[in-house]
Amino acid sequence: MNQPRDFELPVGIRPDQCSPEEWQVRTELAAAYRLTDRFGWSMLIFNHITARVPGKEDHFLINNFGLMYDEVTASNLVKIDLDGNVVGDYAGEVRINRAGYVIHSAIHAARHDVQCVMHTHTVAGEAVASIEPGLLHVNQDSMQLTGQVAYHDFEGLAVDDGEKARLVADFGDKKVLVLRNHGMLTAGNSVGEAFMLMWLLEHACRTQVAALSMGQPLHGSQDMLTRIAQLVPQQQHFITPTGLGGLPFRSLMRWLDRQDSSYRN
């Protein structure tokens, strides 16, 4: 009986083989993968977080399909172009998940303001994506996303290039995309912003699921909730003066370093 062969961890890119700017993005992206795993948002080897390579509009970094999120490092992230071709030489096996390529390449190609795209399949996220109202702006976390949420209908596994145009059209210029019956996606102007948007979104979804499970009316009139939800984004700079990708994400990287800094390798 043939035994399954272990996945061979690729020998990737060293800091002296890329620009300092690319290595910084690799480090931040690897940290995002490790943090996602530690927060319990990963789904085995599936899903993706991608980041554009600085100075290369048509190149982005993605995880090597087959690695668990806690195996991702700055060096073993794979650089690909918008057509899905691997850029550079890698020792060991390199695999790109088709669904990840379709979704992420579509957004990176169309949205030049986006540096990082993050996609998850959490229980709370899929639950909210599967109910007709979608994300309710009824708690402080979801209110911070007011005006930034778009929806895209489920079309089956995202392996068809034909879906790209429809996904991009539905997303528009927003930062959060609810993939109906599927999961959640965030897009930020940095790795840190995309990650912190997902943190807010996931917390909002978990709170919504918990509140609805109590079988009680939600507090507040619709007029009041709408008014406050429109006000909260204007107040956000008071609590995140450096933006979501600034102080909050940097604090998480310091926390991760205290736990396990191997993502930097």
Side-chain angles (χ1 to χ4, degrees):
M1 181 176 179
N2 292 328
Q3 295 295 319
R5 184 166 58 87
D6 288 340
F7 189 93
E8 182 182 351
L9 290 175
V11 178
I13 301 299
R14 300 188 308 270
D16 61 350
Q17 293 177 307
C18 65
S19 68
E21 293 79 12
E22 179 178 332
W23 188 255
Q24 179 63 30
V25 170
R26 283 178 171 272
T27 302
E28 292 175 2
L29 185 57
Y33 274 99
R34 297 295 186 93
L35 289 165
T36 297
D37 184 70
R38 285 179 174 265
F39 286 151
W41 304 344
S42 57
M43 188 180 184
L44 303 178
I45 62 173
F46 304 102
N47 299 337
H48 314 276
I49 317 170
T50 59
R52 198 186 303 273
V53 176
K56 297 287 185 180
E57 284 291 306
D58 57 345
H59 292 170
F60 62 95
L61 302 167
I62 192 169
N63 54 317
N64 194 353
F65 185 48
L67 296 183
M68 301 287 281
Y69 274 30
D70 67 352
E71 295 178 302
V72 173
T73 67
S75 64
N76 67 30
L77 287 160
V78 180
K79 188 187 309 184
I80 64 175
D81 63 21
L82 294 175
D83 295 320
N85 302 308
V86 174
V87 178
D89 296 323
Y90 294 83
E93 296 181 68
V94 174
R95 299 186 182 95
I96 305 301
N97 183 293
R98 174 68 182 173
Y101 158 71
V102 168
I103 293 173
H104 290 251
S105 65
I107 297 171
H108 282 297
R111 294 280 302 274
H112 298 291
D113 60 311
V114 167
Q115 300 302 313
C116 179
V117 179
M118 182 169 181
H119 175 43
T120 60
H121 285 178
T122 65
V123 172
E126 285 197 49
V128 170
S130 300
I131 62 172
E132 191 58 39
L135 184 67
L136 301 174
H137 297 280
V138 295
N139 60 66
Q140 180 170 277
D141 302 304
S142 59
M143 287 180 182
Q144 292 182 63
L145 303 173
T146 301
Q148 291 297 333
V149 183
Y151 292 82
H152 175 64
D153 281 340
F154 189 53
E155 298 187 24
L157 298 180
V159 295
D160 180 6
D161 281 334
E163 187 177 357
K164 289 183 179 182
R166 295 184 292 275
L167 185 147
V168 166
D170 288 338
F171 199 11
D173 61 355
K174 301 295 193 291
K175 293 187 175 182
V176 173
L177 183 62
V178 177
L179 297 163
R180 288 292 197 179
N181 312 98
H182 181 174
M184 295 290 172
L185 183 147
T186 58
N189 60 22
S190 67
V191 173
E193 185 184 42
F195 185 89
M196 293 307 303
L197 283 168
M198 187 61 76
W199 188 94
L200 275 176
L201 179 59
E202 173 65 14
H203 203 266
C205 288
R206 291 174 62 192
T207 302
Q208 179 174 320
V209 169
L212 294 179
S213 73
M214 298 171 72
Q216 299 296 317
L218 296 172
H219 176 72
S221 68
Q222 188 58 56
D223 286 346
M224 182 276 284
L225 290 172
T226 299
R227 177 174 57 82
I228 298 300
Q230 292 171 344
L231 174 63
V232 168
Q234 301 171 30
Q235 302 171 320
Q236 199 165 35
H237 69 278
F238 289 108
I239 57 173
T240 53
T242 59
L244 282 174
L247 290 175
F249 187 69
R250 291 202 295 272
S251 73
L252 284 172
M253 289 187 71
R254 292 195 305 274
W255 174 78
L256 184 59
D257 281 333
R258 293 193 295 272
Q259 314 300 314
D260 178 9
S261 62
S262 63
Y263 72 93
R264 293 182 176 273
N265 296 336

